[in-house]
Amino acid sequence: MGVKAHRHQRKPWADRLPEFTHYRDDGCAVHSACLTCPLPSCVYDDPRQGRGAAIRLRDAEIMQRFHEGWSPARLAKHFGIHPRSIFRVLRRARES
């Protein structure tokens, strides 16, 4: 008698649940990972918000670090922007 094939032989892709599938989460220019992104909607769904959202996130981080005691010069160097831009962010936050 020969070897019988299993009737219900599983194929690796046949019944894989979504939670057991590995998805790449490369994020975008605004945030490094989609699953932890703070934006209310994805920039790929609404591309108009991309640049503005990135600036708002950067400004929020600037304010947080400023309140932690970072100097404007250190903030400018860390974020790769001119010190005058740091003062603009601080002024906008103060005015709002």
Side-chain angles (χ1 to χ4, degrees), residues 58 62 72-73 75-77 79-88:
R58 182 204 67 191
I62 287 171
L75 289 166
K77 186 174 183 178
F79 287 97
I81 57 178
H82 198 275
R84 292 192 76 162
S85 296
I86 297 296
F87 288 111
R88 285 187 197 105

Side-chain angles (χ1 to χ4, degrees), residues 45-66:
D45 294 338
D46 185 8
R48 294 173 292 151
Q49 77 168 348
R51 178 81 177 128
I55 290 172
R56 284 190 300 276
L57 287 173
R58 182 204 67 191
D59 291 355
E61 190 173 348
I62 287 171
M63 289 307 301
Q64 177 185 354
R65 291 176 189 226
F66 179 74

